[in-house]
Amino acid sequence: MQRRSLIARTTTALALAALACSSFSVQAQGPEWKKIRIGVEGAYPPFSEVGADGKLKGFEIDLALAYCAEMKAECTLVQQDFDGLIPALQARKVDAIIASVSITDERKKVIAFSNPYYNTPARFVAKSGVKFDLTPAGLKGKKIGVQSATIHEAYASAIFKQSDIVRYQSQDQVFLDLKSGRVDLTLADMPAADFGFLKKPEGKGFAFVGPNFDDVKYFGVGSGVGLRKADEKTLGKKFNDAIAAVQANGTFKKINDKYFDYDISIKKK
């Protein structure tokens, strides 16, 4: 390599310094986020599912689009199995997740979250008229169906260690095996079980069993938008502002009432 003059080296150094300052400024401001790829599940009615026309629909699909409209962002919905959503986020295949991802301390070790936008309890579902003692000893040997990588799987695995925990890729698959008798019960999100199974023809002869389960240690403080930790201050702020605006202007209530006959919004304390 040929030697350069002192002036040339100084000029280069100044240019690099200016570039470094410029890069730092861009990083500090964060991206504009005019285009956002949102990971969704598409197999969790009534929150998200694929309709007969092949298009995504559901409570969280409508909500995601409302947030995007509020942020004036062009959003692409990327369908992904639930257990692949966080890996997709980390691999930068999506920029955010809107898929009933509960905000738990365990998940916060891996990803960041927006403020919560809805919260519902978990409940057991089983055949109508069948009585169960919903204790670890009472469910010894019983088959409990749960969706993999969910808070329901985590809770069932931690508490009902004497039961046979049967894991599925989607909650719809759990309901199918519950109906066919391959599992005795399922632990699921209450609205997902109610509107996604019990109120449908295939849910005839089944009912909720026992109380609500909402232990914050396992079930968290509500569902939020999943984000990479590096994007928490930029994209996270945009989503937080959109969540607040959609709640304040009545859009959340309109979407809520379209799918549910009760309010699942986060209640102010």
Side-chain angles (χ1 to χ4, degrees):
M1 180 181 294
Q2 294 182 343
R3 291 189 179 185
R4 292 174 294 171
S5 67
L6 178 61
I7 294 176
R9 290 200 301 272
T10 303
T11 301
T12 301
L14 288 172
L16 289 171
L19 180 61
C21 289
S22 174
S23 298
F24 177 80
S25 177
V26 170
Q27 288 177 352
Q29 292 176 6
E32 288 298 315
W33 293 111
K34 294 299 182 184
K35 293 185 178 183
I36 304 170
R37 298 163 300 169
I38 300 177
V40 298
E41 183 177 3
Y44 197 60
F47 293 94
S48 70
E49 60 182 311
V50 178
D53 58 359
K55 295 180 180 179
L56 287 160
K57 65 176 185 176
F59 170 77
E60 283 186 297
I61 302 302
D62 290 357
L63 206 56
L65 296 177
Y67 293 153
C68 291
E70 189 65 37
M71 294 186 288
K72 296 179 173 59
E74 179 185 333
C75 292
T76 302
L77 302 182
V78 182
Q79 190 179 356
Q80 174 79 51
D81 289 338
F82 186 83
D83 58 6
L85 284 167
I86 290 178
L89 180 69
Q90 293 171 321
R92 296 186 171 274
K93 293 179 180 178
V94 298
D95 304 304
I97 302 170
I98 297 182
S100 296
V101 183
S102 297
I103 303 169
T104 65
D105 288 339
E106 196 63 29
R107 284 179 176 151
K108 286 195 289 186
K109 294 175 184 178
V110 181
I111 62 173
F113 284 96
S114 70
N115 293 333
Y117 53 85
Y118 90 82
N119 192 20
T120 51
R123 292 193 71 179
F124 275 107
V125 175
K127 278 189 176 181
S128 301
V130 179
K131 294 184 178 180
F132 288 98
D133 173 10
L134 300 179
T135 64
L139 293 185
K140 180 179 180 181
K142 299 297 183 183
K143 291 184 176 181
I144 303 174
V146 291
Q147 184 178 2
S148 295
T150 62
I151 52 177
H152 311 104
E153 179 197 9
Y155 185 79
S157 299
I159 304 301
F160 299 99
K161 294 182 178 180
Q162 300 177 74
S163 302
D164 182 5
I165 309 301
V166 187
R167 297 163 177 82
Y168 297 81
Q169 200 166 44
S170 75
Q171 186 61 45
D172 279 348
Q173 292 172 339
V174 186
F175 291 141
L176 284 172
D177 272 13
L178 178 65
K179 186 170 180 62
S180 67
R182 284 189 281 269
V183 295
D184 300 297
L185 313 91
T186 180
L187 181 65
D189 180 70
M190 188 179 76
D194 191 10
F195 292 89
F197 181 62
L198 295 177
K199 288 185 175 178
K200 291 184 175 181
E202 52 266 35
K204 185 179 180 180
F206 292 84
F208 285 120
V209 179
N212 293 347
F213 291 84
D214 57 6
D215 185 338
V216 172
K217 178 181 177 182
Y218 295 99
F219 298 102
V221 296
S223 292
V225 181
L227 305 156
R228 288 183 289 272
K229 290 191 174 185
D231 299 329
E232 184 174 9
K233 292 182 179 179
T234 54
L235 186 55
K237 183 181 184 307
K238 283 183 172 289
F239 269 111
N240 284 339
D241 290 345
I243 289 168
V246 166
Q247 181 69 39
N249 65 23
T251 302
F252 184 97
K253 185 179 187 307
K254 288 180 182 178
I255 297 172
N256 181 102
D257 294 350
K258 178 180 174 181
Y259 294 95
F260 308 110
D261 52 16
Y262 46 82
D263 180 14
I264 67 170
S265 65
I266 299 295
K267 309 299 185 293
K268 291 183 179 180
K269 295 181 179 180

